[in-house]
Amino acid sequence: LLSRGIDMSVLDYCFQHGLLYEAADYHNAVFVGYDGKTPRYATLRGTLSGSSSKRDVTGSNKRFCFSIDGQDGGKLNVFECAIDALSYLTQVKMQGADWQHESVLSLGGVYQSRPNETPKVPTALQGYLERHADVQEIVLRLDNDAVGRGAAGAISQAISDLPVSVELPAEGKDYNEWLVATKLNLADEKKEQMTIAGQCH
C-alpha cells in the first residue's frame, strides 16, 4: 500500500483500529467493516500497483462496509473501494489539513444501472446512513469512468433528503491513480528545483 502512495500514518491508524490486516497467504490487504465492535464485513484487495485482485470474504454484510468515522461527521466522502478512501485521506494530509476530520466510506464496488431501473441507494451507504444520523452532506468520489459516473448520477437521484455532490478524481481513473500521479509530479518538480539550484551554484 505504501507503493501505491498511501501515507504511513493513515495505514497505521487502520492497523491500530483493526480496520486493515495483511493476509498470510498471498499478502493481500484485508479491509474490515464493523457493526459496533463486531467485524461484519471483510474484503481482500491486491496491493501491488496495477493489481486487480479483489473479492469479499464469504458471509460479509455490505451494510457494514469499510469506513472511518472522522471528527467532522457531518460530511461523508464515498468511494468505490477502501484503497481510494485511504488515497483521499493521504491527499488531505498532503494539503496540510487534518485527515482525521474526514469521514470516509467504501461501497465495496458499484454496478452499472440498467435502463429505466429505479435508482437505489447502495447497501453500504444505506447501512451507514442508518447508523450515522449526524451526516448532513454526501460527497461522491467515485471512479471517473462510465460505471462510476453512472453510479454517481443514480445515487444522486436516489437520495432526496441530503445534499449530494460529485467530486471525480482530477487525474486518472480513481483517487489512487490521482494520488500516485500527484506524488510523481511533486517528485519531478523537486528534482527540477534541485537541478536549477545546482546550476545556480
Side-chain angles (χ1 to χ4, degrees):
L1 289 173
L2 287 171
S3 70
R4 296 182 72 161
I6 297 172
D7 189 87
M8 188 63 217
S9 62
V10 176
L11 293 175
D12 189 55
Y13 176 93
C14 292
F15 289 131
Q16 296 293 333
H17 290 80
L19 296 166
L20 174 61
Y21 298 91
E22 181 181 340
D25 47 8
Y26 297 107
H27 304 288
N28 288 323
V30 183
F31 295 96
V32 185
Y34 288 83
D35 177 5
K37 294 185 177 180
T38 305
R40 295 286 299 277
Y41 174 87
T43 186
L44 301 174
R45 289 291 185 271
T47 54
L48 299 177
S49 184
S51 171
S52 60
S53 171
K54 53 186 176 182
R55 66 180 177 84
D56 290 350
V57 173
T58 304
S60 288
N61 185 339
K62 265 199 161 65
R63 289 175 56 79
F64 302 95
C65 266
F66 175 90
S67 65
I68 296 176
D69 298 336
Q71 293 160 8
D72 176 15
K75 183 182 79 170
L76 175 63
N77 301 284
V78 179
F79 302 83
E80 291 189 29
C81 71
I83 289 176
D84 286 338
L86 300 187
S87 298
Y88 169 73
L89 294 177
T90 298
Q91 287 176 314
V92 171
K93 185 182 178 190
M94 288 170 62
Q95 292 164 5
D98 185 354
W99 64 269
Q100 293 193 35
H101 277 276
E102 302 281 340
S103 294
V104 297
L105 169 70
S106 163
L107 295 178
V110 296
Y111 69 93
Q112 184 95 46
S113 299
R114 299 184 189 90
N116 304 319
E117 182 181 4
T118 302
K120 295 177 185 173
V121 179
T123 302
L125 181 54
Q126 186 71 52
Y128 188 94
L129 293 175
E130 288 172 4
R131 298 190 303 276
H132 296 81
D134 55 337
V135 174
Q136 296 171 0
E137 65 170 308
I138 296 169
V139 184
L140 300 175
R141 301 181 183 274
L142 307 184
D143 290 4
N144 192 7
D145 57 17
V147 175
R149 291 190 296 271
I155 295 169
S156 298
Q157 290 179 47
I159 296 177
S160 58
D161 56 342
L162 288 171
V164 179
S165 59
V166 178
E167 295 284 344
L168 299 176
E171 192 170 344
K173 181 181 77 72
D174 56 39
Y175 270 78
N176 184 247
E177 285 190 7
W178 184 15
L179 171 64
V180 171
T182 301
K183 286 200 162 185
L184 286 174
N185 291 340
L186 289 172
D188 288 343
E189 285 176 18
K190 192 171 182 181
K191 281 182 188 174
E192 191 174 322
Q193 289 168 357
M194 289 175 69
T195 301
I196 292 170
Q199 290 171 347
C200 290
H201 290 296

